[in-house]
Amino acid sequence: MNVLLISTYELGHQPFGLASPLAWLTEVGADVHCLDLAVEELNESSICAADLIAIYLPMHTATRLASRLVPRIRALNASAHLCFYGLYAPLNEEFLRVELGAATVLGGEFESGLLSLYKRLSANGTADIEQQTEPVICLSKQAFRLPQRDSLPDLSRYAYVELGQENRRIVGYTEASRGCKHLCRHCPVVPVYNGKFRIVTHDVVMEDIRQQIQGGAEHITFGDPDFFNGVGHAIRIVEDLHEHYPGLTYDVTIKVEHLLRYAYHFQTLARTGCLFITTAVEAVDDEVLSILDKGHTRNDFVQLVGLARSMNLTLSPTFIPFLPWTTREGYLDLLQLLVKLELVDYVAPVQLSIRLLVPEGSRLLTVPMMRQHLIKFDAAALCYQWSHPDTSMDLLHDRVSRVVETGDAENKSRREIFKEVWRLAHEACGLIIPELYQPGKFSAPIHVPCLSEPWYCCAEPTASQLAEF
């Protein structure tokens, strides 16, 4: 059986979701080809030759892009068995089966399901099998194989770390764990893993990093939903990483709650080369944080900023500023707090424009405060539409989004874009716009280490991304 694994988008990383199943399938002799459409052109001959086409859906944007891709695939090869796998596959199962013709949908620990599917298709001798027997969501513990990366595009074609003054580092990507212990209501991990998380063994993680270093990686992004879900496992990895590769840097994603609980590990993170920590703050209004069940408060965030600074650790906060409960004054309050904490340089502009996405299966659907704002499920957008009680907030969102997109396209600095957003927020509140960067009251601009591809896994795809598909 000829197998084609396809990725449409994974935040600028070489896809772990291709490299990992590739290892599982080639181990049993499958003829597997990979196609990463984020950096490669559509290979029609590979599509035509495939008996099994499996498309990786790790996030909302990837799923939207895949929905545009499938008609082209079917026009080239109508007989191939079509499978979707990854976090967003089970969330959109009905759409994938009914609208896109999926025969198999796999979520959670998907490698074992792909292997089972391949074996059944091979035994049957045809891509046409009657019914999926693999679980749509598999949370069984599995023995991870070393991801196979040789046939994937070179790391130099993906996102890089910007260190300032035209200094860049090539980035590798791996995962030390999957799933999450926590049940944040807006998070797409929760409907699939429901509070469970799975460890990728230490030896597999270390060997995967080693092979990427040999491929040119100078920095590693750990893609775990929360690196401190298994804090002992995580600390052992970074300690060993620093011992073997002392010049390597890395970044991680960790909850505010976990960062405060395990603050005694800050020194270890700083010492072992942690360049920055992405942390999902989401909001600075305690009532909103309670609705989202984030597990932290506004004061917790403020405290964390001080602790991180004292340990010379860089935070990269993320936000969902446009929610049904966000007021104009609340949005302005967020901006004012970022100024007060001197975080303007630390926040990617896209984080000021994100509007809440509510996918199928979201825990927010069970919350009365959310249900009263819901309109209907939008199959084309793959999420529930909701209305804001203050229509001017939708207008503000549109204006902020345009400022951010234009600013990024024109390569404006974070401060320049923030200043425009600052102006819009004050105008929305009917307030006089105060001077933002007053001499002596605001530190000089700095360049904060960051990935060239902004972190926004729960945002809508951009117009340019959709146009490419």
Side-chain angles (χ1 to χ4, degrees):
M1 301 289 292
N2 291 323
V3 181
L4 177 62
L5 303 177
I6 298 177
S7 175
T8 59
Y9 177 70
E10 196 181 3
L11 289 172
H13 302 305
Q14 187 188 71
F16 187 92
L18 296 187
S20 182
L22 176 60
W24 286 64
L25 293 167
T26 54
E27 186 178 76
V28 296
D31 184 7
V32 188
H33 297 269
C34 293
L35 188 58
D36 184 2
L37 296 179
V39 297
E40 296 180 296
E41 296 294 326
L42 189 70
N43 187 322
E44 294 188 357
S45 61
S46 294
I47 292 173
C48 292
D51 301 297
L52 166 60
I53 298 175
I55 303 177
Y56 179 46
L57 306 180
M59 62 190 65
H60 179 79
T61 293
T63 311
R64 290 283 305 275
L65 298 181
S67 69
R68 292 197 167 207
L69 175 67
V70 168
R72 298 169 65 187
I73 290 176
R74 282 309 194 195
L76 293 166
N77 185 344
S79 62
H81 186 98
L82 187 59
C83 169
F84 293 91
Y85 68 99
L87 186 67
Y88 271 73
L91 295 181
N92 297 286
E93 181 183 6
E94 182 178 356
F95 173 81
L96 297 174
R97 293 191 189 277
V98 175
E99 300 297 330
L100 300 186
T104 302
V105 175
L106 303 169
E109 306 305 279
F110 53 76
E111 288 91 346
S112 56
L114 276 172
L115 182 61
S116 171
L117 173 62
Y118 169 77
K119 288 180 176 179
R120 287 200 301 120
L121 291 172
S122 297
N124 194 48
T126 174
D128 185 19
I129 53 177
E130 292 184 359
Q131 188 175 356
Q132 176 173 341
T133 58
E134 296 77 17
V136 172
I137 297 177
C138 175
L139 298 182
S140 300
K141 295 180 180 179
Q142 59 182 20
F144 283 91
R145 277 65 161 175
L146 174 66
Q148 189 170 315
R149 300 181 179 273
D150 292 346
S151 60
L152 297 182
D154 191 83
L155 290 176
S156 62
R157 299 179 65 182
Y158 291 93
Y160 50 84
V161 168
E162 296 179 334
L163 296 174
Q165 298 181 334
E166 299 185 358
N167 187 8
R168 298 174 175 178
R169 290 184 181 177
I170 295 174
V171 177
Y173 174 92
T174 196
E175 296 175 2
S177 66
R178 286 183 181 160
C180 186
K181 289 180 177 180
H182 299 270
L183 300 173
C184 302
R185 290 192 176 107
H186 65 296
C187 179
V189 175
V190 174
V192 176
Y193 281 89
N194 197 29
K196 295 182 174 61
F197 83 107
R198 294 289 178 253
I199 290 293
V200 182
T201 55
H202 182 90
D203 58 331
V204 170
V205 177
M206 292 299 296
E207 184 62 19
D208 188 30
I209 293 172
R210 184 195 65 79
Q211 69 177 347
Q212 291 183 79
I213 291 173
Q214 290 181 340
E218 302 162 299
H219 176 95
I220 295 294
T221 289
F222 286 96
D224 311 42
D226 192 310
F227 195 57
F228 273 6
N229 268 317
V231 65
H233 173 62
I235 292 298
R236 183 184 168 211
I237 285 173
V238 297
E239 289 275 23
D240 284 2
L241 192 62
H242 185 64
E243 179 182 349
H244 289 92
Y245 311 104
L248 190 75
T249 56
Y250 65 89
D251 69 271
V252 295
T253 298
I254 305 175
K255 280 173 65 71
V256 171
E257 178 182 357
H258 278 171
L259 286 169
L260 291 175
R261 182 182 305 167
Y262 303 114
Y264 53 86
H265 284 307
F266 280 14
Q267 187 174 18
T268 299
L269 293 174
R271 175 176 53 81
T272 56
C274 183
L275 205 55
F276 59 90
I277 301 169
T278 299
T279 188
V281 181
E282 313 301 42
V284 296
D285 181 291
D286 284 338
E287 183 178 352
V288 173
L289 289 168
S290 177
I291 294 172
L292 298 179
D293 198 11
K294 280 300 300 176
H296 69 260
T297 65
R298 176 193 181 101
N299 285 339
D300 289 337
F301 170 52
V302 172
Q303 179 188 354
L304 175 61
V305 172
L307 282 172
R309 284 220 173 99
S310 70
M311 297 302 297
N312 201 29
L313 277 175
T314 296
L315 291 180
S316 179
T318 67
F319 299 95
I320 307 176
F322 290 94
L323 302 125
W325 318 283
T326 307
T327 63
R328 288 169 287 172
E329 293 75 17
Y331 184 75
L332 180 58
D333 176 56
L334 167 62
L335 301 184
Q336 291 170 334
L337 183 62
L338 295 180
V339 171
K340 180 180 179 181
L341 297 177
E342 297 195 19
L343 287 175
V344 172
D345 297 314
Y346 295 77
V347 177
V350 70
Q351 297 299 330
L352 306 175
S353 68
I354 293 177
R355 190 176 191 269
L356 176 68
L357 283 176
V358 185
E360 285 280 21
S362 172
R363 286 188 71 222
L364 280 174
L365 296 173
T366 66
V367 178
M369 291 83 78
M370 182 75 239
R371 288 204 303 267
Q372 64 181 317
H373 299 290
L374 292 176
I375 301 174
K376 63 177 180 179
F377 184 77
D378 185 338
L382 298 178
C383 62
Y384 282 88
Q385 297 297 320
W386 56 268
S387 62
H388 199 287
D390 180 358
T391 56
S392 67
M393 283 300 294
D394 291 327
L395 179 60
L396 178 61
H397 173 255
D398 290 341
R399 289 175 173 171
V400 169
S401 297
R402 284 197 297 271
V403 163
V404 169
E405 287 185 31
T406 301
D408 283 340
E410 296 176 355
N411 202 29
K412 290 184 177 180
S413 71
R414 290 184 173 184
R415 287 200 176 188
E416 288 175 309
I417 298 173
F418 187 92
K419 188 173 183 178
E420 283 297 301
V421 174
W422 177 262
R423 177 183 61 80
L424 292 174
H426 279 84
E427 288 179 350
C429 293
L431 298 174
I432 297 174
I433 304 168
E435 185 62 35
L436 182 55
Y437 305 125
Q438 298 180 36
K441 294 187 178 181
F442 209 88
S443 61
I446 61 172
H447 179 85
V448 177
C450 60
L451 292 171
S452 57
E453 186 79 15
W455 189 96
Y456 59 115
C457 70
C458 294
E460 290 281 2
T462 64
S464 60
Q465 286 175 321
L466 291 172
E468 290 176 4
F469 281 78

